[in-house]
Amino acid sequence: MTRTDTRVGPVEARPALVPARRFWTSRRRDQLTGYLFITPQLLGSVVFVILPLILVVWYSLHEWNVLAGTFDFVGTDNYRALAEDPNLGAVLRATGLFSIGLVVLNLGLALLLAVLLNQKLRGTILFRTLFFSPVVVSLVAWTIVWGFLLQDNGGVNGLLDTMGVDGPNWLRGEGTATLSVIVVQAFKNVGLNMVLFLAALQGVPANLYEAAEMDGASRMRQFGLITVPLISPTILLTSIITVVGSLQVFAQIAVLTQGGPGTSTTVLVYYLYQQAFQFHHFGYGATLSIVLFVIVLALTVLQWQMRKRWVFHES
């Protein structure tokens, strides 16, 4: 009978089994989902915003004659032509006058209508619909109708004639053509800003007005010290939208005045169109579009920086 050795030696520690790390963790799946959601917007921005901007800069360095089929590199010649353009000053002046007039009239009228329609009166829903309806009307149809109304023998002068007033030729006078286009454009889009202001006014707490009224504050003082500060974010939004929109107005000018009389209504967008598509100076048109882009960008950044001074809750 053999003897079995029952002594047990020291047991060596076995290494712990580390589970293999999965590549598709929940965090990475969430990140992939987020990237898939933003991919359409990102592709759209690249194709329709960034790439066209690069191409415009490239075209501005060339002279492209579509009729002759030539595409010649001219360097900075288009930019030198821009500095020497005798019409550019008048175009920029007409653009600035049109933009200032449109912004002041549009925002002022929209805020006035919003304050009136915010009152608890009968028929406000009907008037809200009437004032907003031009926003959804076709732009070209709206402009053509106003073109007939503003003619020398049109509806506006016919109405003035019944009151014994001899109306001017609105679209052919240098002083009245710009005013006419501003009014037509302001009436077209005032309903959108009116709705935005109306929503902001309805968000102002009523107890603030009650406290101010108990302290003896007048309606105008309440409007200046309570209403305007609390709706200032909406004022910033509408001002940016209106300023950018005023610099991009084209259809109204093309249908109503064709930039005339003279260059009184030749805004920068219409002048760009003339140079590129009427005179076939595509390189110079691209240069003008860069000027327009710089102006829009500068004004937008300026308004965004000014928010720290006059927008409520901004520091």
Side-chain angles (χ1 to χ4, degrees):
M1 182 175 184
T2 58
R3 182 179 179 182
T4 304
D5 191 359
T6 59
R7 291 179 300 174
V8 179
V11 180
E12 296 182 358
R14 294 183 180 181
L17 295 177
V18 178
R21 296 186 61 182
R22 294 184 304 169
F23 180 78
W24 289 111
T25 60
S26 59
R27 179 179 180 181
R28 286 179 175 173
R29 285 198 300 269
D30 292 341
Q31 290 176 345
L32 178 61
T33 303
Y35 289 139
L36 290 176
F37 273 113
I38 68 173
T39 296
Q41 177 67 30
L42 183 61
L43 290 176
S45 300
V46 171
V47 174
F48 297 107
V49 178
I50 298 177
L51 183 59
L53 285 175
I54 296 174
L55 289 176
V56 164
V57 175
W58 176 250
Y59 292 152
S60 70
L61 302 175
H62 293 76
E63 184 54 46
W64 185 8
N65 191 325
V66 178
L67 299 178
T70 59
F71 188 72
D72 301 321
F73 180 79
V74 295
T76 59
D77 287 355
N78 288 321
Y79 293 92
R80 285 196 292 268
L82 179 69
E84 299 171 357
D85 191 344
N87 297 321
L88 185 61
V91 169
L92 293 178
R93 185 163 52 252
T95 304
L97 181 62
F98 178 81
S99 297
I100 293 173
L102 179 60
V103 170
V104 172
L105 180 60
N106 192 316
L107 294 184
L109 185 58
L111 184 56
L112 175 62
L113 291 174
V115 171
L116 293 176
L117 294 178
N118 194 41
Q119 309 300 317
K120 296 180 179 179
L121 301 174
R122 285 186 176 183
T124 55
I125 297 178
L126 174 61
F127 282 105
R128 291 177 192 177
T129 305
L130 291 176
F131 289 131
F132 186 78
S133 58
V135 178
V136 299
V137 173
S138 169
L139 175 60
V140 176
W142 172 269
T143 308
I144 291 175
V145 170
W146 273 100
F148 284 111
L149 293 175
L150 294 171
Q151 288 180 357
D152 191 19
N153 56 350
V156 174
N157 282 345
L159 179 62
L160 293 176
D161 188 59
T162 60
M163 297 183 290
V165 179
D166 187 15
N169 193 342
W170 296 95
L171 299 177
R172 294 296 177 262
E174 290 192 3
T176 58
T178 302
L179 177 62
S180 300
V181 179
I182 289 174
V183 171
V184 171
Q185 177 64 12
F187 285 176
K188 175 70 173 67
N189 292 326
V190 70
L192 178 60
N193 288 338
M194 179 199 71
V195 170
L196 295 175
F197 282 134
L198 189 59
L201 289 172
Q202 292 177 349
V204 178
N207 57 355
L208 296 179
Y209 294 112
E210 295 172 358
E213 190 172 356
M214 292 179 62
D215 290 338
S218 63
R219 287 293 183 90
M220 291 300 298
R221 193 167 180 81
Q222 293 177 29
F223 181 78
L225 297 179
I226 298 176
T227 305
V228 172
L230 290 181
I231 69 170
S232 56
T234 304
I235 296 176
L236 173 66
L237 172 64
T238 53
S239 65
I240 292 177
I241 293 174
T242 308
V243 168
V244 174
S246 69
L247 293 171
Q248 297 176 344
V249 169
F250 170 77
Q252 295 85 335
I253 303 293
V255 173
L256 293 176
T257 64
Q258 294 81 46
T263 57
S264 60
T265 59
T266 304
V267 295
L268 189 56
V269 173
Y270 191 76
Y271 189 58
L272 186 161
Y273 161 77
Q274 286 181 322
Q275 293 295 324
F277 297 100
Q278 289 186 353
F279 307 145
H280 302 288
H281 298 156
F282 287 97
Y284 190 61
T287 307
L288 290 171
S289 66
I290 292 176
V291 174
L292 177 62
F293 171 76
V294 171
I295 292 174
V296 172
L297 179 63
L299 290 177
T300 304
V301 172
L302 178 63
Q303 291 178 91
W304 185 251
Q305 292 299 323
M306 288 177 61
R307 80 191 193 280
K308 297 179 181 179
R309 295 195 174 190
W310 58 277
V311 174
F312 191 66
H313 286 320
E314 291 282 352
S315 57

